Amino acid sequence: MFTDTERCVRAVQSKDARFDGWFFTGVLTTGIYCRPSCPVVPPKPQNMRFYPSSAAAQQAGFRACKRCRPDTSPGSPEWNHRADLTARAMRLIADGVVDRDGVEGLAAGLGYSARQIERQLRAELGAGPLALARAQRAQTARVLIETSPLPMGDIAFAAGFSSIRTFNDTVQEVFALAPTELRRRAARSRAGTGGAPGATGTGGGAPGVISLRLPFRQPLTPDNLFGHLVATAVPGVEEWRGGAYRRTLRLPYGHGIASLTPRPGPHPYIAARLALTDQRDLAIAISRCRRLLDLDADPVAVDEQLARDPQLAELIAKAPGRRVPRTTDGAEFAVRAVLGQQVSTAAARTHAGRLVTAYGTEIEDAEGGLTHLFPEPGALAGLDPAALAMPQSRRTTLTALVAALAAGDLDLGGGSDWEQARRQLAELPGIGPWTVEVVAMRALGDPDAFPATDLGVRKAAAGLGLPGSPAALVRHSAAWRPWRAYAVQYLWAAPPAGDHPINLMPTE
């Protein structure tokens, strides 16, 4: 995108918010970099330079614009639909791997040398993994500075900086303001708007709680997104309370509880309230919540392609911008997918709830009814199959899956190779095409995953005049690629299943 100069210039001149996160504009005359939708008067084309990442703009010597806040742009949708090395690396960087394990840890997770990773990222993004992780640390630091009462020293280490001096220098370089001035400006902004949240958030109130806004590209139809998450919620791990979807998070340094609320209006956003036991997990928690709600998707590109099929066009026009409800933990979802094989949603929730009670880690929730973290594969590796109230064949499937996950033989994380994961899943006993594709869609995040054998998909397809057999439907769906997972969301919402709870915004 950023190499197409004419297209970038048009996006900047029209202030097109659809391209926020796709590229960043460096302005030679001011030394700042902006998102395409920046509200200021666009610079002359000859004074624009385009960069594929905020890190690349920072390395070129530009500082972040104080008006458009490019650090709060939605993430690039490129990392959603691609499965190549760059995309896998970017998903792991967003999950904090570089800050925790360094570039060598990132390379080990991807199965390449550190030199290869560095070369690939520089060639495509104009910055290496350290610079990309630094840009993320700067963004996390700004959120903490503006939304929490934490001392600056605590913020520096919570954001992942190795020293307070590095923290101060980075914030000054990226935002052209000292950390204390950033905090003063945020306080003045809140006072001037009656305490309304700014672009990134507001103070969390309770200790260890951060409240912020999660931006996304419009349009967004939240009904199936929140409806699906709540209808399939595991007792003790997830709930709907006070208009918010709430769930527990297992994080690298501790655990947390995320409360996510859709906020409609002229400038809609997702209100996020994150209660963390360790502030170092903030950036990872934000990344996982964005992934859960598929907030970095490009709904215009998805819907334009799917609407070319006359059978889908009416569904899309009725409720554009459907997202794919994903997960915060790939291993957790795979276990839940096996528990849900050939049973009702209620039965799947019951089975999962029993596992959580028996093997999950207990937590405290002062604001609701969450009680546990979903058990890790290692904890489930010792379960007694005879204690599971399900057929013997599914017990065998579950124990085989858990063993593969616990041993590290099966990777369903953000940096996983999607096709390799599919092959490994298919090799496990009792895991067929439906389970493989559902896991690929919601755990791996493959936007082209397509469970053609799903009963709801087949019934909806027949009702729309689409091919009824899985093989014929797969052939017809070739025109929907690479967005077939989104087509599934529209099919699930079509008659006769349109009034199913997974398609309806939850009520109190």
Side-chain angles (χ1 to χ4, degrees), residues 52-53 76 78-80 82-94 106 110 112 116-127 129 132 414-415:
S53 65
S76 172
E78 284 287 285
W79 320 135
N80 271 12
R82 287 170 46 179
D84 57 19
L85 175 60
T86 299
R88 293 166 59 201
M90 289 300 291
R91 289 194 285 269
L92 287 180
I93 291 171
L106 174 67
L110 295 168
Y112 288 82
Q116 286 175 300
I117 302 295
E118 182 86 23
R119 184 170 56 247
Q120 183 70 24
L121 292 180
R122 284 188 177 277
E124 186 163 352
L125 294 170
L132 292 162

Side-chain angles (χ1 to χ4, degrees), residues 306 309-316 318 450 456-468 473 476 480 486-498:
L306 295 181
D309 189 321
Q311 279 86 1
L312 295 182
E314 185 177 346
L315 293 174
I316 293 167
K318 184 178 179 181
F450 189 56
V457 168
R458 293 177 61 189
K459 285 184 175 180
L464 293 170
L466 294 166
L473 188 56
H476 181 90
W480 304 340
Y486 294 89
V488 170
Q489 307 311 309
Y490 286 106
L491 290 172
W492 276 343

Side-chain angles (χ1 to χ4, degrees), residues 348-408:
R349 294 181 64 203
T350 298
H351 288 316
R354 289 171 179 165
L355 281 187
V356 165
T357 301
Y359 300 97
T361 303
E362 291 189 25
I363 64 152
E364 293 184 2
D365 177 16
E367 300 180 349
L370 303 180
T371 58
H372 290 78
L373 302 176
F374 196 88
E376 293 182 286
L380 292 176
L383 64 81
D384 179 8
L388 301 175
M390 58 181 66
Q392 178 61 44
S393 60
R394 203 169 315 133
R395 295 179 191 173
T396 301
T397 300
L398 182 61
T399 54
L401 172 66
V402 167
L405 290 168

Side-chain angles (χ1 to χ4, degrees), residues 9 47 55 110 185 366 433:
V9 168
N47 292 326
L110 295 168
R185 284 170 61 95

Side-chain angles (χ1 to χ4, degrees), residues 169-497:
D169 291 346
T170 300
V171 171
Q172 180 72 49
E173 181 182 340
V174 173
F175 303 114
L177 291 169
T180 52
E181 180 57 25
L182 270 179
R183 177 165 280 175
R184 282 195 292 267
R185 284 170 61 95
R188 289 196 298 268
S189 175
R190 288 195 295 272
T193 57
T200 44
T202 64
V209 176
I210 301 292
S211 296
L212 63 153
R213 297 182 178 191
L214 302 183
F216 54 81
R217 296 175 184 84
Q218 298 187 56
L220 181 145
T221 294
D223 301 29
N224 74 298
L225 187 57
F226 287 90
H228 202 123
L229 293 172
V230 174
T232 59
V234 177
V237 175
E238 302 165 284
E239 68 174 4
W240 178 262
R241 182 182 293 265
Y245 165 75
R246 306 178 73 246
R247 72 150 294 144
T248 59
L249 303 171
R250 186 183 298 277
L251 299 164
Y253 297 104
H255 69 265
I257 294 174
S259 299
L260 303 168
T261 308
R263 298 292 191 196
H267 304 287
Y269 61 94
I270 302 297
R273 183 173 170 84
L274 301 173
L276 306 174
T277 58
D278 193 314
Q279 298 287 4
R280 289 177 294 175
D281 285 321
L282 176 62
I284 297 114
I286 293 172
S287 174
R288 293 185 184 180
C289 288
R290 295 191 65 82
R291 179 176 173 81
L292 171 71
L293 301 182
D294 196 17
L295 296 184
D296 291 326
D298 183 353
V300 173
V302 172
D303 289 353
E304 281 182 352
Q305 179 158 333
L306 295 181
R308 293 172 189 163
D309 189 321
Q311 279 86 1
L312 295 182
E314 185 177 346
L315 293 174
I316 293 167
K318 184 178 179 181
R322 289 190 182 274
R323 301 300 207 269
V324 179
R326 294 200 169 123
T327 184
T328 59
D329 187 311
E332 172 191 316
F333 182 80
V335 170
R336 292 170 59 173
V338 169
L339 293 176
Q341 288 178 336
Q342 300 178 346
V343 298
S344 68
T345 299
R349 294 181 64 203
T350 298
H351 288 316
R354 289 171 179 165
L355 281 187
V356 165
T357 301
Y359 300 97
T361 303
E362 291 189 25
I363 64 152
E364 293 184 2
D365 177 16
E367 300 180 349
L370 303 180
T371 58
H372 290 78
L373 302 176
F374 196 88
E376 293 182 286
L380 292 176
L383 64 81
D384 179 8
L388 301 175
M390 58 181 66
Q392 178 61 44
S393 60
R394 203 169 315 133
R395 295 179 191 173
T396 301
T397 300
L398 182 61
T399 54
L401 172 66
V402 167
L405 290 168
D409 297 332
L410 176 60
D411 179 12
L412 301 178
S416 60
D417 181 316
W418 292 346
E419 292 310 312
Q420 180 180 344
R422 274 184 166 92
R423 290 193 297 270
Q424 291 174 320
L425 280 167
E427 290 171 358
L428 296 175
I431 291 188
W434 179 86
T435 305
V436 169
E437 290 304 302
V438 167
V439 171
M441 179 170 62
R442 297 193 56 195
L444 298 177
D446 183 354
D448 200 40
F450 189 56
T453 59
D454 181 86
L455 183 59
V457 168
R458 293 177 61 189
K459 285 184 175 180
L464 293 170
L466 294 166
S469 73
L473 188 56
V474 168
R475 288 193 295 271
H476 181 90
S477 71
W480 304 340
R481 305 192 74 169
W483 310 120
R484 292 186 297 178
Y486 294 89
V488 170
Q489 307 311 309
Y490 286 106
L491 290 172
W492 276 343

